Amino acid sequence: MYRLFVTDRDGSVATLESATGASVMEILQRHDYNVAAICGGCCSCATCHVYVDERFSAMLPRLDGDERVLVESSEHFREGASRLSCQIQFTGALDGIRLALAPED
């Protein structure tokens, strides 16, 4: 099992354990985090918006296309940190990733 460190919208930090092979959005939902993900992970909304710690941002694929448009349209966009959790595949290389749930738009 691998770990994710998640800061909730109320500032509480939790350690989640998960196997690889799922998106971060799916892991957050499995652990009952308030991630709406109304599009079901199809990258057509921004209700799974998270902030990824800069140490891990460089490990992720480049922010591009629809994902970029969606996070940049959020009033809570943060350059270099904003990502959609549905677009982050959790792998062993991301063990220990730190992220925070973005405020809801």
Side-chain angles (χ1 to χ4, degrees):
M1 293 299 246
Y2 299 93
R3 296 174 299 153
L4 300 86
F5 297 95
V6 180
T7 303
D8 203 342
R9 291 184 183 101
D10 67 4
S12 300
V13 179
T15 303
L16 308 182
E17 291 191 350
S18 180
T20 60
S23 71
V24 169
M25 176 205 76
E26 292 167 320
I27 296 166
L28 292 170
Q29 288 183 321
R30 195 175 310 134
H31 286 88
D32 295 323
Y33 274 83
N34 187 18
V35 177
I38 60 174
C39 73
C42 296
C43 195
S44 63
C45 73
T47 59
C48 67
H49 183 189
V50 296
Y51 302 126
V52 176
D53 183 277
E54 65 184 48
R55 291 173 287 176
F56 291 91
S57 291
M59 301 170 110
L60 300 178
R62 186 173 161 212
L63 179 62
D64 221 357
D66 291 339
E67 182 182 11
R68 176 170 283 286
V69 169
L70 289 166
V71 295
E72 285 182 346
S73 68
S74 169
E75 65 184 85
H76 304 290
F77 173 71
R78 291 185 190 167
E79 185 68 49
S82 286
R83 297 302 297 255
L84 298 181
S85 61
C86 68
Q87 297 302 296
I88 303 171
Q89 289 302 306
F90 190 58
T91 65
L94 295 178
D95 184 31
I97 189 171
R98 294 182 180 279
L99 55 94
L101 301 183
E104 294 178 299
D105 282 327

